Amino acid sequence: MITTLILYLTILCISTSASTIPQRPLVPQASPTWTPDPLPLVIWHGLGDNYKAEGLRSVGDLAQEINPGTFTYFVRLDPDPSSDRTATFFGNLTLQIAQVCADLAAHPILSTAPAINAIGFSQGGQFLRAYVERCNEPPVANLITFGSQHNGISQFQNCATTDWVCQGAQGLLKGNTWSQFVQNKLVPAQYFRDPEDLEAYLENSNFLADVNNERVFKNETYKQNLIMLEKFVMYLFSEDTTVVPKESSWFSEVNATTGKETKLKDRPIYQEDWLGLKTLDEHNKLEFKLTEGGHMQLSDELLKQVFKQYFTPQTKGN
């Protein structure tokens, strides 16, 4: 009896003491990424593309040219390129990202690296950000996104006349965006966000409302993981008409009726630091980049510049 009482009081004392310890603010810690060799590079392609696409492979070749020895991994949701392309339109993003988390964690090269670098093209950018937030094993050092829809889209893109996969997805999307079936099956619907209908979005969004920490409950792990990035660089295409609004690439919100843009720093997601973007910015780790041209009009020169500036190996002496 006495032993039990002593044990209870000890536990109570420890619990009370722990609860009075002030919470320290989150501060990004330096990642142990110094190495004479380039970190592995992970690339996630966009809507309608596949992991074996020639253009995507040429990006890997450029990475190797600038930083010899770079191992490049192209995210795939299916080993068959055609099925991998279909998965950019159809699938549950929660399950898809969980699959990528498992694939990267089990990869013999990626899983043993001190960290990885990551590039996300179009929707692949917000998916890689979700990877960082939700698992981040192996951890991402530098995340670069091109024309990504970080604050969602308010309009679905048009399909080519003969693109039946895209046409089929569009047919389901129209008028059914917030249905449970569409939110579990149609990829673009899961990052659809209409600023004039936020109630429906917050209630039904299967993906974006969660990874942007917009609901009442804030997932602190998302913030803790994101602030561990050494750099988060977001490229916006100046003449982008595919992503509506294009300013979503910088987390801006645009009123579809008035066209008024509310920049990231003027939004609660930044001011209240729901994701850690303010923390990254205060430590010079968040960058907004503008590049000329339409959606995904990337030059080799720009990519080479990115590889040199953000992916050049770091050493202890640097």
Side-chain angles (χ1 to χ4, degrees):
M1 180 67 179
I2 295 176
T3 302
T4 303
L5 180 60
I6 293 174
L7 178 61
Y8 171 76
L9 291 174
T10 302
I11 293 173
L12 180 62
C13 180
I14 293 173
S15 175
T16 303
S17 299
S19 65
T20 60
I21 296 174
Q23 297 298 308
R24 298 174 63 185
L26 292 171
V27 178
Q29 302 297 315
S31 301
T33 56
W34 59 265
T35 169
D37 303 312
L39 293 175
L41 172 61
V42 171
I43 299 176
W44 199 328
H45 59 80
L47 184 69
D49 212 343
N50 73 80
Y51 79 101
K52 280 194 172 181
E54 183 177 345
L56 205 63
R57 296 285 161 163
S58 68
V59 176
D61 293 339
L62 281 176
Q64 171 71 19
E65 177 185 332
I66 300 302
N67 295 307
T70 300
F71 172 80
T72 303
Y73 177 87
F74 301 93
V75 171
R76 74 292 307 267
L77 292 165
D78 195 286
D80 174 63
S82 178
S83 297
D84 184 56
R85 180 181 187 273
T86 299
T88 68
F89 292 98
F90 298 96
N92 184 308
L93 281 174
T94 298
L95 299 179
Q96 289 186 351
I97 290 165
Q99 176 185 331
V100 173
C101 286
D103 289 346
L104 269 57
H107 193 280
I109 295 177
L110 301 178
S111 63
T112 57
I116 59 176
N117 288 319
I119 290 181
F121 293 125
S122 195
Q123 68 178 21
Q126 62 260 31
F127 299 167
L128 276 171
R129 174 167 62 85
Y131 164 85
V132 172
E133 294 174 15
R134 290 181 173 177
C135 46
N136 207 33
E137 290 292 340
V140 174
N142 301 289
L143 174 60
I144 318 294
T145 65
F146 288 95
S148 298
Q149 302 87 47
H150 289 296
N151 199 51
I153 55 173
S154 58
Q155 180 179 312
F156 297 114
Q157 71 177 60
N158 295 322
C159 303
T161 305
T162 57
D163 191 341
W164 305 116
V165 174
C166 180
Q167 295 281 5
Q170 287 283 50
L172 288 171
L173 287 170
K174 294 178 179 178
N176 300 292
T177 302
W178 301 124
S179 72
Q180 186 176 4
F181 176 82
V182 168
Q183 282 297 313
N184 280 287
K185 299 293 184 182
L186 276 294
V187 171
Q190 294 167 67
Y191 55 84
F192 182 84
R193 184 184 187 280
D194 184 352
E196 297 183 29
D197 191 16
L198 287 180
E199 185 177 347
Y201 161 74
L202 291 172
E203 182 178 350
N204 299 290
S205 174
N206 182 56
F207 172 73
L208 191 69
D210 177 69
V211 297
N212 281 6
N213 251 350
E214 293 185 85
R215 295 190 171 109
V216 175
F217 171 77
K218 309 301 182 190
N219 192 321
E220 194 68 13
T221 298
Y222 291 177
K223 179 177 179 177
Q224 290 176 341
N225 284 350
L226 205 63
I227 66 172
M228 298 309 292
L229 291 172
E230 294 181 2
K231 285 289 184 181
F232 181 11
V233 184
M234 302 176 291
Y235 278 87
L236 183 153
F237 293 97
S238 63
E239 306 302 321
D240 197 334
T241 57
T242 300
V243 175
V244 179
K246 65 183 180 182
E247 293 82 4
S248 179
S249 297
W250 285 350
F251 275 98
S252 291
E253 182 169 287
V254 177
N255 185 298
T257 302
T258 65
K260 180 182 177 181
E261 176 187 358
T262 304
K263 296 183 181 297
L264 171 63
K265 293 184 180 181
D266 297 321
R267 301 181 58 213
I269 191 174
Y270 178 92
Q271 295 173 343
E272 298 174 16
D273 213 15
W274 296 349
L275 281 177
L277 297 173
K278 182 179 181 180
T279 299
L280 285 172
D281 192 29
E282 289 174 343
H283 290 80
N284 299 314
K285 297 187 175 203
L286 184 68
E287 297 187 12
F288 303 81
K289 297 284 190 177
L290 181 69
T291 185
E292 299 300 317
H295 189 65
M296 294 312 301
Q297 290 185 354
L298 286 166
S299 66
D300 287 356
E301 289 71 24
L302 174 59
L303 288 170
K304 288 179 179 180
Q305 178 184 333
V306 167
F307 296 147
K308 289 177 182 178
Q309 183 173 354
Y310 301 108
F311 298 164
T312 297
Q314 299 179 22
T315 62
K316 274 187 174 180
N318 288 346

